[in-house]
Amino acid sequence: MRNGIFGRLDLDSGKLRPNGFSLLLSSNEQERGQRALDEQQWERDMSSPQKALPSLPLALTPVLLTLIVLGVQLFYFDDFTPHVPLAIGLALTGLVGIKLGFDWEDIEKGVFHVIHVSLPSVSVLITVGMIIGVWIASGTVPTLIYYGLTILSPEIFLAAAMLLCAVVSLSLGTSWGTVGTVGLALMGIGAGFGIPVYWTAGAVVSGAFFGDKVSPLSDTTNLAPAVTGVDVFSHIKNMMPTTIPSMLIALGIYLFAGYGLIESGGASFDKITAITSSLQENFVISPWLLLPAILVIALAVKRMPPIPSLFAGVLAGGLTAMIAQGVGLHDVFTYANSGYRIDTGVSEIDSLLNRGGIQSMMWTISLVLIALGFGGALEKTGCLETIIKAIMMKVKSFAGIQTAAVGTSMATNLVAGDPYLSIALPGRMYAPVYRGMGYSTLNLSRAIEEGGTLISPLVPWNAGGAFVISALALGVSDGHLENLLYIPLAFACWLSPVIGLAYAYTGLFSPRASEAEMQGWHDSGETIADLSDHGWETPAIPSTTPAE
């Protein structure tokens, strides 16, 4: 058993017993990730006395039963409303907790704590809902669609959409803000070009979540290194070997689709003309109307927090709507709350622009809250810890532990529906094992970033996936299940972890811990797993420091 700032790790029992910690972060941008991490650690430290972990069959029971109920709802009833199945999963997990000796108050505390930690994400959802409604009314979104249809060509559109979303997301530090603003406009441009909805959505998701992944302003980009004890900029640098190849491959596929597959259907120039003419008839179109979007990006570049930056975009959009489009103040309030409504006679325009507002996000917010509650119950009762422990006991190689870390982040996304939990929990559990193997925890931070951030939008009932479906108007809940094809078409999101796993098995871009990093572990008392029974020389310590 080893003591450290993350707790005491006993590989005989597989338990990581937290005892509190503090991390000194190198930049203000890391505060959001640290705050989420501190909140989750505080709950583990200050909760009721440690209960016995459930057995593996018992821990798997609520997970498997929930997936069965979810499958019945989605595939047997053909009804994409996963709210009730996830609520049933929360109840089943509560029963497991009670069987283990937890009081309902303890379980409830764990449920509401995880919800509390993720409230900033809910705030982003509310703010983006207001932005969508107000920016449509102001003419900002119609202007983006108009110039996109007149400047871009169908052949390069998908590739350009991915790159544009990547740049905007990198600047804003929020994939959700990018999807809900620029992504929505790109959906309109794609519709004008006659490009299938799911192709455009795949390109938007690829760019938006990849920009978020490598942005120092992003909360998940800060959470991953914070939970594994590495520097955020070293973390970003270490992601480049997977980020660059996956983006280049995705770019090539989108270009091929533009020049080959989609071209075969031909872009309808009559449709493009109808859309642009309708936009000019119903809105003032001018480059000046892009100022709200430019303001948000400028605030992000100045490293302002995302929620105030996005809300500044709401205010700027409302002012622009009143000045440029002649909209009344009460109408602005209505658009921000209930969304924009228009009847142009052009179905592509009406289906795209009749949306937005806080109320349009309530389906997504309710799903996010239930999914987060389910994840909080699984963590509080120790079900997730038992499952991860079982995996850890079977892993005997670096490639195996890297695969397990990516897979655990993906599975947590799938089961718990929370991208933050999918990063924080595996990061806490696996970090001591990487140290015991003598590998840099940069490998772990990359694994959980890719399995957490990038897979989140590909799980429809995850917070990320639910937002994508709602913000891009994919209509999945209305029966348009074919639009879920955006999931395999978001190439950059799933290619990155695949490339990362290939590196793990070949040894490429898989750094061993340096003497300085191991010295840092020793100096700060980091937890290091004893893997001597698995053939590893442990604990990993710098050669200049005597073994304890």
Side-chain angles (χ1 to χ4, degrees), residues 52-120:
L53 289 176
S55 64
L56 183 59
L58 185 59
L60 287 172
T61 297
V63 173
L64 295 178
L65 289 178
T66 301
L67 291 177
I68 290 172
V69 176
L70 195 59
V72 170
Q73 173 78 336
L74 299 183
F75 304 112
Y76 182 77
F77 293 129
D78 197 24
D79 183 355
F80 188 84
T81 49
H83 301 62
V84 172
L86 291 176
I88 292 173
L90 196 162
L92 292 171
T93 309
L95 292 176
V96 170
I98 292 172
K99 177 178 176 58
L100 292 170
F102 285 92
D103 294 329
W104 170 248
E105 289 75 13
D106 292 332
I107 300 171
E108 186 179 71
K109 191 180 298 182
V111 168
F112 288 121
H113 177 75
V114 172
I115 292 175
H116 170 74
V117 169
S118 299
L119 282 180

Side-chain angles (χ1 to χ4, degrees), residues 26 59 103 107 114 119 123 158 191 210 215-216 283 294 307 321 327 329 358 401 419 425 446 460 465 498 543 545:
S26 60
D103 294 329
I107 300 171
V114 172
L119 282 180
S123 301
L158 290 174
F210 248 86
S215 172
F283 298 93
I294 295 172
I307 293 177
V327 173
L329 178 60
I358 295 173
I401 194 66
L425 186 62
R446 184 172 70 194
V498 169
S543 58
T545 302

Side-chain angles (χ1 to χ4, degrees), residues 40 173 264 398 427:
Q40 293 191 13
S264 62
F398 168 74

Side-chain angles (χ1 to χ4, degrees), residues 268-502:
S268 173
F269 291 99
D270 291 338
K271 180 188 291 186
I272 294 173
T273 301
I275 292 175
T276 54
S277 298
S278 178
L279 289 173
Q280 287 180 309
E281 291 171 3
N282 290 277
F283 298 93
V284 174
I285 302 295
S286 168
W288 291 105
L289 300 182
L290 300 179
L291 285 177
I294 295 172
L295 171 64
V296 172
I297 293 175
L299 291 175
V301 170
K302 289 183 173 292
R303 301 186 176 185
M304 294 292 291
I307 293 177
S309 299
L310 291 172
F311 192 74
V314 175
L315 298 178
L319 185 62
T320 302
M322 290 189 288
I323 295 175
Q325 309 296 342
V327 173
L329 178 60
H330 182 256
D331 291 330
V332 171
F333 291 167
T334 300
Y335 299 145
N337 179 65
S338 304
Y340 189 77
R341 296 293 179 267
I342 191 172
D343 183 8
T344 65
V346 180
S347 59
E348 290 82 4
I349 290 292
D350 294 344
S351 63
L352 184 73
L353 299 186
N354 287 332
R355 66 187 60 263
I358 295 173
Q359 301 308 316
S360 71
M361 292 294 166
M362 287 301 113
W363 188 94
T364 303
I365 289 172
S366 61
L367 175 57
V368 167
L369 293 178
I370 295 172
L372 293 176
F374 179 38
L378 286 171
E379 184 180 23
K380 181 66 178 182
T381 57
C383 290
L384 289 180
E385 186 173 345
T386 292
I387 296 170
I388 294 176
K389 169 191 130 178
I391 296 171
M392 290 170 63
M393 298 300 291
K394 299 292 184 182
V395 173
K396 298 182 180 180
S397 67
F398 168 74
I401 194 66
Q402 193 76 353
T403 302
V406 174
T408 302
S409 292
M410 290 181 176
T412 306
N413 259 324
L414 183 69
V415 174
D418 179 16
Y420 298 98
L421 194 61
S422 71
I423 291 173
L425 186 62
R428 283 203 303 262
M429 297 299 295
Y430 287 115
V433 180
Y434 279 78
R435 298 186 189 106
M437 290 182 173
Y439 276 88
S440 173
T441 51
L442 285 169
N443 297 290
L444 174 59
S445 67
R446 184 172 70 194
I448 60 177
E449 180 85 76
E450 293 174 345
T453 301
L454 294 183
I455 299 302
S456 169
L458 308 186
V459 180
W461 54 87
N462 186 281
F467 176 76
V468 166
I469 291 170
S470 175
L472 297 184
L474 297 183
V476 174
S477 60
D478 297 327
H480 297 287
L481 296 182
E482 71 279 1
N483 288 339
L484 288 177
L485 287 172
Y486 87 87
I487 296 171
L489 296 178
F491 298 106
C493 289
W494 59 263
L495 277 173
S496 186
V498 169
I499 294 172
L501 291 178

Side-chain angles (χ1 to χ4, degrees), residues 167-189:
V167 171
V168 173
S169 187
L170 178 64
S171 302
L172 295 179
T174 167
S175 52
W176 291 8
T178 302
V179 168
T181 53
V182 176
L184 178 64
L186 289 169
M187 295 298 289
I189 298 171

